[in-house]
Amino acid sequence: MSWMDRFNSKQLTIVIVCITAFFITLAVFTMVVGSDDSSSSKERHLVIDGDGDDASGRKYKFTDEDRSEGGGDSTVVVNKPIEGDPYEELNDLIGLEEVKAEVRSLANFVKVQKQRQEKGLKTPNLSYHLVFTGSPGTGKTTVARIVARIYKDLGILKKGHLVETDRSGLIGQYVGQTAPRVNAMCDSALNGVLFIDEAYAITQSESGNDYGAEAVATLLKRMEDDRDRLVVIVAGYTNEMKKFIDTNPGLQSRFNRYIHFPDYSSDDLYKIFRKYLKKNEYTITQQAATYLKERLDYAVEHKDRNFGNARFVRNVFEKTIQAQANRIAKAGKVPDEELVEITLADVKNAI
């Protein structure tokens, strides 16, 4: 007697229904769990590449700030290349004449070498990676963005975007975190530029458990594996950057072009302040302008290692217009011309 003969038709129907319900429930459960795991995984490990796709092929839009995995201190800024002539933007920068000359010279060299390659002539091995040295606020990040766009213009990079990060975006706190972080940063910068500010901090740590060497090794491997799609610019104080490059022969061989960013003069800082005024539709009285110049002269004369240069001026400008707003708010309704005018009292309250 077969096993089916042991059941009557009603019992057999119940068994079949139960078995069918079990497999349907199992299938639905698998789909839900699989979907949740996949979705959360994609959210946790979203890797953006320079072509505008993440690791799963989804499209994304550039944002001003993208926080990397690992906490609030790991800020990654993805700068979409803006329209316009990068050479003209370079020329419009205040001061930095030697920096501008170096960037133009680099662009000319690359352009001629590419022409030689097209003619089948011998060319030296080109390294597009750069070391920017100088104090904070001297325009290193701004010039890095321009260089990225120039590289795109020359056909070196397809996208020409710039990804900014620092030690906190590259170094993990535990074993196994650092290499994935570095790889994620490199993925996000493919076909563009990875800009590492204060790069010397990668190999500087007061703790015994540091993963700077792992970060450098991973970075060097990606620079080699993606040498046609990735340009790296490292930046920081002059002496610290030289020591950092000397810590690894691989860094020495790949970073052989340095551009130094000098501190701004007080005249340059005043021009930067005036540029902020014009951009934001403000005017300044003669008394206020004279006082501002005197204070900028004093600030430059007595600056220390941490002087912020252009950042210092930006902070002064922001405090100045805040002081103006407070003054106008207390006065109540004022003529239209006072809404745009910066006075001596405003500047004195800011610097």
Side-chain angles (χ1 to χ4, degrees):
M1 178 184 293
S2 67
W3 67 272
M4 293 185 64
D5 294 334
R6 298 177 183 177
F7 297 94
N8 59 38
S9 59
K10 185 175 181 180
Q11 291 174 324
L12 183 61
T13 300
I14 294 174
V15 171
I16 293 174
V17 169
C18 291
I19 294 174
T20 303
F22 171 79
F23 281 107
I24 291 175
T25 302
L26 180 62
V28 172
F29 176 80
T30 302
M31 290 174 61
V32 171
V33 172
S35 176
D36 288 344
D37 288 345
S38 176
S39 175
S40 62
S41 177
K42 289 175 182 177
E43 291 301 319
R44 289 195 303 268
H45 303 288
L46 181 62
V47 179
I48 303 171
D49 71 27
D51 288 324
D53 301 295
D54 66 24
S56 65
R58 294 180 296 177
K59 296 293 182 182
Y60 75 96
K61 292 182 179 180
F62 285 100
T63 57
D64 290 334
E65 287 193 1
D66 225 351
R67 293 203 176 273
S68 67
E69 180 184 357
D73 292 335
S74 303
T75 301
V76 183
V77 182
V78 181
N79 297 280
K80 182 178 180 180
I82 61 177
E83 299 297 329
D85 185 351
Y87 300 95
E88 182 177 342
E89 185 177 346
L90 180 69
N91 294 334
D92 288 342
L93 293 177
I94 294 173
L96 304 177
E97 298 306 323
E98 293 182 2
V99 172
K100 296 176 188 177
E102 285 280 355
V103 173
R104 294 190 200 102
S105 178
L106 171 62
N108 291 336
F109 177 74
V110 172
K111 189 181 300 182
V112 171
Q113 296 309 310
K114 288 181 71 67
Q115 291 176 356
R116 288 176 58 86
Q117 288 178 342
E118 292 171 359
K119 300 296 183 180
L121 299 173
K122 291 184 178 180
T123 59
N125 291 328
L126 298 181
S127 176
Y128 303 116
H129 311 296
L130 299 169
V131 181
F132 286 176
T133 62
S135 302
T138 49
K140 296 187 292 293
T141 306
T142 299
V143 173
R145 294 171 186 162
I146 294 173
V147 168
R149 291 164 57 203
I150 288 176
Y151 279 169
K152 178 186 176 184
D153 181 70
L154 294 172
I156 297 170
L157 300 171
K158 290 182 179 179
K159 298 292 294 184
H161 64 294
L162 183 86
V163 176
E164 302 174 41
T165 191
D166 54 19
R167 174 189 164 88
S168 65
L170 299 171
I171 304 294
Q173 296 180 344
Y174 306 103
V175 174
Q177 288 186 334
T178 296
R181 281 193 177 201
V182 176
N183 282 321
M185 293 300 157
C186 292
D187 287 341
S188 69
L190 286 177
N191 299 311
V193 171
L194 177 62
F195 179 79
I196 307 175
D197 197 17
E198 297 181 347
Y200 54 84
I202 294 175
T203 54
Q204 293 180 351
S205 175
E206 296 179 357
S207 65
N209 297 324
D210 186 62
Y211 308 105
E214 180 184 2
V216 171
T218 306
L219 179 63
L220 290 174
K221 185 178 186 304
R222 290 301 302 268
M223 291 170 68
E224 176 61 27
D225 294 345
D226 299 299
R227 56 185 176 275
D228 296 328
R229 301 181 63 196
L230 177 65
V231 170
V232 179
I233 299 177
V234 292
Y237 287 110
T238 302
N239 293 334
E240 282 84 344
M241 288 306 300
K242 290 181 178 179
K243 292 178 182 178
F244 168 67
I245 298 299
D246 289 342
T247 61
N248 189 298
L251 294 174
Q252 293 175 344
S253 64
R254 288 170 178 82
F255 293 101
N256 51 32
R257 183 181 290 269
Y258 288 69
I259 298 180
H260 179 66
F261 288 69
D263 286 354
Y264 285 107
S265 67
S266 59
D267 288 340
D268 287 337
L269 295 179
Y270 178 70
K271 291 177 182 176
I272 292 172
F273 189 93
R274 296 295 299 231
K275 193 171 184 178
Y276 282 129
L277 289 175
K278 182 178 180 181
K279 180 179 179 180
N280 293 278
E281 297 183 338
Y282 285 94
T283 63
I284 189 170
T285 66
Q286 185 58 51
Q287 281 185 318
T290 300
Y291 180 80
L292 176 63
K293 289 180 182 179
E294 292 174 353
R295 299 309 300 168
L296 291 177
D297 287 341
Y298 181 87
V300 169
E301 185 178 351
H302 295 83
K303 68 184 178 183
D304 59 16
R305 172 184 170 88
N306 297 317
F307 181 64
N309 287 282
R311 296 177 190 173
F312 171 76
V313 172
R314 182 181 63 196
N315 290 336
V316 171
F317 172 76
E318 291 175 352
K319 291 179 180 178
T320 299
I321 61 174
Q322 182 65 56
Q324 187 235 33
N326 290 333
R327 174 176 57 81
I328 291 176
K330 290 180 181 179
K333 190 174 182 180
V334 298
D336 291 347
E337 57 268 19
E338 290 192 28
L339 291 174
V340 300
E341 186 178 67
I342 299 299
T343 67
L344 176 61
D346 301 329
V347 177
K348 281 188 173 181
N349 285 326
I351 186 173

